[in-house]
Amino acid sequence: MTSTLKSKAAPALLARSLLAIAALLAAEAAHAGPKYTYSYVGNPAAPVRAKPVSCWQAVCTPSVVLMGGGYDVAEAFRWMIAQAGITRATGGRFVILRATGSDAYNPYVYSRLGTVDTTTSRNYEMVGGLDLGVTSVETLVIPSRTAAADPFVLDVISKASAIFIAGGDQADYYQYWQSTPLAAALQRAVDAGIPIGGTSAGNAMLGQYAFAALNDTVTSDEALANPFNRYMTIDPLNTSSGKFIQTGSFISISGLEKTITDDHFNTRDRLGRLIGFVSRIGDGCPGGVERFDQVLGIGVDEETAVLVSGPRGSVKAQMVANPYNQENTTAPYAPQNSAYFTKLARTPAQCAAKKTLDINSGVQVYRLSAQVAQPSPYPSAPQYSFRTNATFNLSSWTQQTPTTYADGSSLNGPFVYGTAGGAILGTQVR
């Protein structure tokens, strides 16, 4: 189980929906159906002419945000708005999906540029969607498989210009949304070039493989001590519940094939469990279904997001981040906002139930890191998030050039690790 609420506390989330910004926002409306809750700010009935910028004729390429949890990264939402083709001339509907929680994202996204989010202790800026042309921000709380088949829910998703899956518990998303009409609607949106993103648990659902957390979370120590422990529920590799068994991925996104994503990476020391996930999916472990050296794990730090875009064969990852927050740094890790790209270069020496995961110098990791700071374009909101110059080539592991860019961002690696006796061998990025 992962949750955005640890760093972005629940009271702060709730407070967002109570902000006294009536002068800036259209009246907010909400209603609850028998199976779901829907609320909005702005005008969902306003004409929308936005078209995804990643589509050329009938061919669309992905626009995906993988956010690592903690305080949200407003620049990632602005990128989604731009990728959706939303301008003041076109309008656009930004839809938030969640299984539990409030409508706290509505005023956060539907806000003025340079406005401070006073519900966080660090006073980060809000998205500014109102100035960027967003005509409505709508939240659907969808807490059941019945709700995930509701015609109204599906209609809102079908009209979305951009879609973001909030944090929470990915076991809820798996249990309530997997293999439902909602999942099919999300797949149609992705295929049509509609930008999609997620944070924390929402991020965990966007790769071809997902840690479903059906038996609660799993730590790095647990994954390395026994990669087949009961907590290692990886969808669709080995997931099931008492009521149904899934046979396919939640969603299929070009560029994220054979990929599993993770979040809260630095703060919760998750390199070990990401190595465990990648190993289990590969054919170097019993039951693995992909070639061991073709499985990619992407781990994202808090207050950090990875932007995935580009045509098939040339998909790249670029980083956006909040200003560096030392509260998010766990001692073994590099102190930047970073993302970690992990693969196996050789099969595990030992991968079996009730035994430690042993890999002899067979783990390679690249680290994509943000710069420490960048001036805000808005004096009223000095804690401004930013996009970096550094990128990672998701289409070819071997086509990476370690570089430190003029803005201070960097791509470093590959760092080489091993595992033995339930521990990681290597310290380059930890």
Side-chain angles (χ1 to χ4, degrees):
M1 171 188 312
T2 54
S3 173
T4 301
L5 303 184
K6 179 175 180 180
S7 296
K8 184 170 59 182
L13 280 174
L14 181 60
R16 278 185 181 165
S17 63
L18 302 176
L19 285 173
I21 54 175
L24 302 179
L25 308 180
E28 180 167 4
H31 74 266
K35 319 168 192 73
Y36 61 85
T37 300
Y38 169 74
S39 63
Y40 67 85
V41 290
N43 180 13
V48 171
R49 297 188 298 278
K51 300 294 182 184
V53 300
S54 64
C55 294
W56 176 253
Q57 296 180 342
V59 178
C60 298
T61 58
S63 296
V64 185
V65 167
L66 305 176
M67 195 176 294
Y71 293 127
D72 288 298
V73 184
E75 179 62 22
F77 290 87
R78 289 189 283 267
W79 180 81
M80 290 181 68
I81 291 168
Q83 291 295 105
I86 296 173
T87 67
R88 293 178 69 89
T90 67
R93 298 172 65 169
F94 200 111
V95 173
I96 309 294
L97 301 180
R98 55 197 320 161
T100 59
S102 72
D103 59 359
Y105 276 105
N106 287 1
Y108 172 70
V109 178
Y110 195 75
S111 52
R112 295 287 190 187
L113 289 168
T115 302
V116 169
D117 181 1
T118 58
T119 68
T120 73
S121 61
R122 292 181 63 81
N123 292 325
Y124 290 149
E125 94 284 10
M126 297 204 284
V127 173
L130 182 59
D131 288 332
L132 297 174
V134 173
T135 42
S136 65
V137 182
E138 305 159 60
T139 293
L140 281 163
V141 182
I142 308 164
S144 70
R145 296 180 70 78
T146 302
D150 189 279
F152 179 82
V153 169
L154 302 179
D155 183 63
V156 171
I157 294 172
S158 73
K159 295 175 180 176
S161 305
I163 299 169
F164 189 80
I165 305 174
D169 184 345
Q170 59 258 47
D172 289 338
Y173 296 151
Y174 174 85
Q175 297 280 22
Y176 301 153
W177 298 359
Q178 178 81 308
S179 300
T180 65
L182 180 151
L186 288 179
Q187 188 64 61
R188 288 192 295 272
V190 169
D191 293 344
I194 300 299
I196 189 168
T199 188
S200 191
N203 164 73
M205 298 301 293
L206 295 178
Q208 179 181 346
Y209 294 90
F211 172 56
L214 295 181
N215 296 321
D216 208 341
T217 193
V218 65
T219 67
S220 287
D221 289 345
E222 291 166 338
L224 295 175
N226 175 12
F228 288 84
N229 72 70
R230 65 184 298 269
Y231 304 109
M232 294 281 283
T233 52
I234 301 172
D235 170 44
L237 183 66
N238 66 335
T239 47
S240 66
S241 77
K243 293 184 178 179
F244 56 92
I245 297 175
Q246 303 301 343
T247 58
S249 302
F250 173 64
I251 196 168
S252 176
I253 300 176
S254 177
L256 295 178
E257 302 93 344
K258 303 179 183 180
T259 297
I260 187 165
T261 59
D262 208 354
D263 37 73
H264 303 278
F265 201 75
N266 175 322
T267 309
R268 302 185 189 178
D269 188 16
R270 286 183 165 169
L271 179 59
R273 83 173 199 170
L274 186 61
I275 293 171
F277 294 159
V278 170
S279 299
R280 281 289 311 278
I281 296 166
D283 59 9
C285 290
V289 294
E290 304 287 357
R291 182 177 164 86
F292 73 91
D293 59 353
Q294 294 182 356
V295 183
L296 174 63
I298 303 176
V300 188
D301 284 346
E302 292 187 359
E303 302 198 39
T304 306
V306 170
L307 313 179
V308 177
S309 64
R312 183 177 294 276
S314 301
V315 180
K316 70 175 184 178
Q318 185 177 22
M319 178 171 293
V320 293
N322 286 337
Y324 171 64
N325 178 359
Q326 64 182 3
E327 297 171 2
N328 293 338
T329 299
T330 301
Y333 287 83
Q336 298 100 330
N337 302 65
S338 298
Y340 304 82
F341 301 83
T342 303
K343 269 193 175 185
L344 298 190
R346 63 180 65 179
T347 58
Q350 175 173 277
C351 184
K354 300 182 181 179
K355 295 184 178 181
T356 58
L357 176 63
D358 294 348
I359 307 172
N360 298 326
S361 300
V363 184
Q364 294 185 348
V365 179
Y366 280 94
R367 185 185 69 226
L368 194 64
S369 296
Q371 67 272 46
V372 174
Q374 182 169 303
S376 169
Y378 297 98
S380 60
Q383 292 288 83
Y384 200 81
S385 57
F386 45 85
R387 194 182 321 177
T388 71
N389 291 337
T391 61
F392 183 87
N393 186 339
L394 285 170
S395 295
S396 178
W397 180 263
T398 60
Q399 298 300 311
Q400 315 297 335
T401 302
T403 305
T404 297
Y405 292 83
D407 68 354
S409 62
S410 62
L411 174 65
N412 293 289
F415 303 110
V416 179
Y417 287 86
T419 65
I424 294 176
L425 307 179
T427 60
Q428 297 97 327
V429 301
R430 301 179 69 248

